Amino acid sequence: MPVDATLPIAPPPAVGDRPDGITPAQIDPPPSRFGHGASLLSLVVLGTVMALGLSGLLGGRDALLKAAGNGVELTVQTPQVIRNGQFFETTLQVTAQRDVAKLVLRVPAALWRDFTVNSAVPAAAEEAFQDGDYAFTFDKLKAGDRFETKFDLQINPDATGLRSADIGVFDGERPLAAVPVQIRVLP
């Protein structure tokens, strides 16, 4: 349907016109105590929050922890401060200076209590619970070889506090090296 261009268009209302019963105080914004810019207090609060976030005190940074002994080196990369409900990764790397007949990585249950393990890559040939530890058994490792596995975890919402334990590498039942790990879970 064609539009009739001859219809009159109402002019915009004058600046001072308000509907009946509406006062200028109800429409006009209140005057600012700090002028038109940002207040110094808001800039200080924003800067403090940004500095805390960048410092790593509230999480977000991984620690690289190492231990060597009995012909192997164990490296653990995991966050030391994390918030509950968050997803994160823990990487375990074993470098062998001598042959390891049966590579076993042991993580104490106290360290991962109220954590959910979503995946482990590569998956262990055998998984067990021994003497209060989660034991992940892999194939043999020859001298000079390096083995790495990655665990994807999530912290359950009710988990808070400090967890500390030693993650160890074993040749079967024989301990080779252990890395002390601390994870602080913030609400």
Side-chain angles (χ1 to χ4, degrees):
M1 177 179 285
V3 177
D4 186 2
T6 61
L7 292 176
I9 299 175
V15 173
D17 292 347
R18 292 181 179 83
D20 289 339
I22 304 295
T23 64
Q26 292 171 317
I27 292 181
D28 296 337
S32 173
R33 292 184 1 190
F34 303 108
H36 295 291
S39 71
L40 180 59
L41 177 63
S42 65
L43 291 175
V44 168
V45 169
L46 177 63
T48 302
V49 169
M50 290 176 66
L52 274 172
L54 291 172
S55 72
L57 293 174
L58 301 177
R61 291 192 182 164
D62 284 355
L64 193 62
L65 309 165
K66 293 184 180 187
N70 296 319
V72 298
E73 180 181 79
L74 174 62
T75 304
V76 177
Q77 183 175 356
T78 192
Q80 288 187 306
V81 179
I82 195 161
R83 303 191 67 89
N84 64 6
Q86 197 168 3
F87 292 92
F88 70 101
E89 293 180 354
T90 294
T91 304
L92 306 177
Q93 184 181 86
V94 179
T95 306
Q97 284 88 34
R98 67 169 190 82
D99 289 348
V100 177
K102 186 177 182 182
L103 178 64
V104 178
L105 298 172
R106 293 179 71 159
V107 179
L111 186 65
W112 282 357
R113 181 162 286 116
D114 293 325
F115 290 15
T116 300
V117 178
N118 295 324
S119 67
V121 179
E126 181 182 328
E127 297 176 6
F129 188 77
Q130 300 172 345
D131 302 323
D133 293 345
Y134 300 112
F136 303 93
T137 304
F138 298 92
D139 291 333
K140 62 183 175 185
L141 196 61
K142 294 182 181 180
D145 286 350
R146 187 182 78 181
F147 173 79
E148 184 172 324
T149 186
K150 178 183 75 113
F151 294 92
D152 293 316
L153 301 111
Q154 180 182 12
I155 302 175
N156 295 341
D158 60 342
T160 57
L162 180 66
R163 317 311 174 90
S164 58
D166 292 348
I167 294 178
V169 60
F170 290 72
D171 186 354
E173 293 294 319
R174 183 173 163 246
L176 300 176
V179 173
V181 176
Q182 284 190 338
I183 299 175
R184 180 174 306 280
V185 182
L186 302 176

